[in-house]
Amino acid sequence: MDTDHIRKAYDLAVKAYRELGVDVAAALTTLDTISLSIHCWQGDDVGGFEKVGKGLDGSGLQATGNYPGKARTPSELRQDYVKAFSFIPGKHRANIHAMYGEFKGAVNRDQISVEGFQGWIDWAKDNDLKIDFNPTLFGHERANSGYTLSDKHKDVRDFWIRHVQCCREISEAIGKQLGDPCIDNIWIPDGEKDNPVDRAGHRQLLADSLDQIFAVKRRKECTKDFLEGKLFGIGSEAFVSGSHDFYLAYAVKNGVGFTMDMGHYHPTESVADKVTAIIPFVPELLLHVSRGVRWDSDHVVILNDDLVALAEEVVRSGSMDKIHVALDYFDASLNRVGAWVTGARATLKAMLSALLQPWKQLNELEEAGRYFKRLALLEVLKLMPLGAVWNFYCLQKGVPAGIEWIEGIEKYEKDVLLKRT
Ligand code: RNT
Ligand code: ZN
């Protein structure tokens, strides 16, 4: 895109926003502080690199599609990741899962240690990235019952408690080496296809497992724990031990971070509305930005109303410093690197659109009961030149502004991805 044209359009946009009382430069400065945690699992359809313990995947995580070119090795995944980062303006984070460790021999999940992640850490250092982490409690023979931390069998629970402990230690080591707290997000698949008679029993066991896990203290400047609930999964339609309510109560009581995934609620429920309901009562909030189509389908994130509403609530909450934004989706039916970039750019655009609102003025109208003007102004905002500001931001950050990034992805597909057979 013509850079002169981008600058001219930006200058006009700045003036147009100024008329509404919006400081565009200030919005861009804030946008620059937003660091998205970008999920490695979009790159290989939630595969991982393990050599041991593979079990049924009862997790309900379905990456559908068989588009060619998926990353098969750690180096391919990291190469694709770096390519994706090159099209996303700003400084972002890599979010990896325990199953992406690189171990010399067969190391089971209750034995993993930071050595298996040194390749990731060194890569992060080379690319000036920070890392977040997730224990992997699915796709393993010890999870074949459909339960892990809330299984009725002590040996199964103990195995997974050990795994989560290893992961918290790894997260701490990652955070220490990279000089930035590594977010450790715990999600478990536990649940049942049909109605269990003992919901209480599973939930008591889950609380007990978590108590054991968090009894070990980790350095807050190196790692932070988060808990992610869910409504249902494939094979856990009737019951999920770690539901939203369960973890919310647990997180509030125990001062643990809380995660909300946009795909983990009833389709008419607004995750955006939950932000300010929860943020005062938990230490920090992690958002998994996803797109459910009819169900928790984890489609590639796009700039839609749900995403904009979420971004608005994050910005308006006045607690941006307590909110972390991560991406979580996996689509195997199209170019995976392009999927990463599409979702990341959409999320940043949503944030920018929220930052470009005259919040103070809207709030004054609200307090004065001038609801017509509030409504009308919000409608006017929808057609403001957001794209011109976005293009300028990309230019400033040295990433393609217009459609060039799409061509960049297609070139990478031709030169690299389609050569993987
Ligand atoms: C699953 C959760 C969880 C996973 C990742 C891979 O429903 O959303 O966050 O997507 O751990
Ligand atoms: Zn999630």
Side-chain angles (χ1 to χ4, degrees):
M1 223 174 150
D2 186 300
T3 58
D4 201 41
H5 182 89
I6 292 175
R7 284 177 209 285
K8 277 189 190 135
Y10 175 72
D11 289 342
L12 289 174
V14 168
K15 284 192 189 114
Y17 277 106
R18 195 183 297 137
E19 277 175 24
L20 294 182
V22 177
D23 181 344
V24 174
L28 288 183
T29 305
T30 308
L31 182 65
D32 222 25
T33 64
I34 297 174
S35 208
L36 302 178
S37 183
I38 299 179
H39 57 319
C40 77
W41 51 94
Q42 166 56 50
D44 77 332
D45 314 339
V46 208
F49 307 127
E50 280 173 317
K51 300 185 187 77
V52 53
K54 274 281 171 220
L56 304 174
D57 192 3
S59 66
L61 304 185
Q62 300 281 310
T64 47
N66 54 3
Y67 197 78
K70 98 169 171 194
R72 300 160 299 181
T73 62
S75 59
E76 285 182 358
L77 184 59
R78 290 196 277 259
Q79 182 192 2
D80 294 353
Y81 225 157
V82 169
K83 192 49 142 180
F85 277 114
S86 76
F87 293 121
I88 304 168
K91 271 258 130 278
H92 303 289
R93 309 169 67 87
N95 193 10
I96 62 175
H97 237 279
M99 65 179 167
Y100 289 83
E102 301 157 78
F103 294 98
K104 294 216 173 61
V107 182
N108 212 337
R109 287 198 200 161
D110 64 336
Q111 313 256 302
I112 57 171
S113 58
V114 70
E115 286 85 76
F117 299 89
Q118 200 56 49
W120 283 104
I121 299 172
D122 294 342
W123 166 81
K125 283 184 188 157
D126 290 345
N127 291 279
D128 192 22
L129 292 164
K130 306 297 180 195
I131 290 185
D132 295 321
F133 201 70
N134 305 260
T136 312
L137 294 99
F138 52 84
H140 188 280
E141 60 198 14
R142 284 286 184 132
N144 284 352
S145 68
Y147 286 102
T148 62
L149 294 177
S150 69
D151 195 283
K152 289 277 174 106
H153 303 90
K154 188 173 183 304
D155 60 321
V156 174
R157 291 195 306 280
D158 286 347
F159 175 85
W160 291 111
I161 290 171
R162 287 197 300 276
H163 172 63
V164 178
Q165 294 294 30
C166 293
C167 291
R168 293 178 73 233
E169 191 175 336
I170 292 164
S171 297
E172 189 177 51
I174 291 174
K176 186 159 181 257
Q177 285 201 47
L178 297 178
D180 190 78
C182 172
I183 285 183
D184 191 36
N185 181 57
I186 303 172
W187 172 76
I188 64 172
D190 295 34
E192 261 178 68
K193 187 178 182 73
D194 222 326
N195 293 317
V197 293
D198 190 19
R199 290 169 190 256
H202 286 292
R203 289 190 168 134
Q204 275 153 15
L205 292 171
L206 178 53
D208 180 66
S209 294
L210 293 173
D211 287 349
Q212 289 184 55
I213 287 166
F214 297 130
V216 178
K217 298 295 167 211
R218 296 278 161 203
R219 291 167 58 189
K220 284 221 168 349
E221 63 279 20
C222 297
T223 185
K224 295 173 181 172
D225 302 291
F226 285 75
L227 294 168
E228 178 183 6
K230 188 163 176 167
L231 184 62
F232 78 98
I234 297 173
S236 63
E237 290 87 352
F239 174 67
V240 167
S241 311
S243 58
H244 168 85
D245 308 71
F246 175 90
Y247 283 131
L248 181 58
Y250 189 93
V252 169
K253 182 171 178 222
N254 296 287
V256 181
F258 185 66
T259 304
M260 288 194 287
D261 182 308
M262 289 176 81
H264 291 189
Y265 295 85
H266 292 283
T268 56
E269 226 174 329
S270 162
V271 178
D273 178 60
K274 295 175 192 297
V275 171
T276 54
I278 294 173
I279 197 79
F281 308 108
V282 293
E284 292 185 39
L285 192 61
L286 170 63
L287 297 170
H288 271 191
V289 176
S290 192
R291 176 167 58 111
V293 176
R294 304 193 191 283
W295 69 289
D296 179 29
S297 59
D298 287 296
H299 276 65
V300 179
V301 164
I302 54 172
L303 184 61
N304 61 11
D305 288 350
D306 289 343
L307 185 57
V308 171
L310 184 68
E312 286 173 349
E313 283 309 300
V314 168
V315 168
R316 294 171 184 168
S317 70
S319 299
M320 279 180 80
D321 54 330
K322 285 173 69 180
I323 302 175
H324 306 271
V325 184
L327 305 183
D328 185 11
Y329 52 83
F330 23 94
D331 190 336
S333 73
L334 75 182
N335 184 305
R336 294 168 184 80
V337 182
W340 258 322
V341 180
T342 303
R345 286 175 74 116
T347 305
L348 292 171
K349 282 184 225 170
M351 290 293 170
L352 179 60
S353 117
L355 289 165
L356 289 172
Q357 294 193 344
W359 189 83
K360 220 171 132 257
Q361 194 191 334
L362 286 163
N363 199 31
E364 278 164 15
L365 292 171
E366 187 159 289
E367 288 179 357
R370 297 175 68 186
Y371 300 139
F372 155 68
K373 193 166 180 193
R374 178 187 64 183
L375 183 68
L377 195 50
L378 286 167
E379 284 299 289
V380 166
L381 283 165
K382 289 180 184 166
L383 292 189
M384 289 295 286
L386 170 68
V389 181
W390 169 255
N391 286 342
F392 178 78
Y393 181 63
C394 290
L395 182 69
Q396 218 184 22
K397 295 284 134 190
V399 308
I403 54 166
E404 289 89 346
W405 74 271
I406 305 174
E407 287 151 20
I409 298 280
E410 286 182 327
K411 183 171 181 332
Y412 185 69
E413 173 167 291
K414 193 164 150 279
D415 295 349
V416 179
L417 301 178
L418 293 180
K419 295 202 169 129
R420 293 174 188 165
T421 47

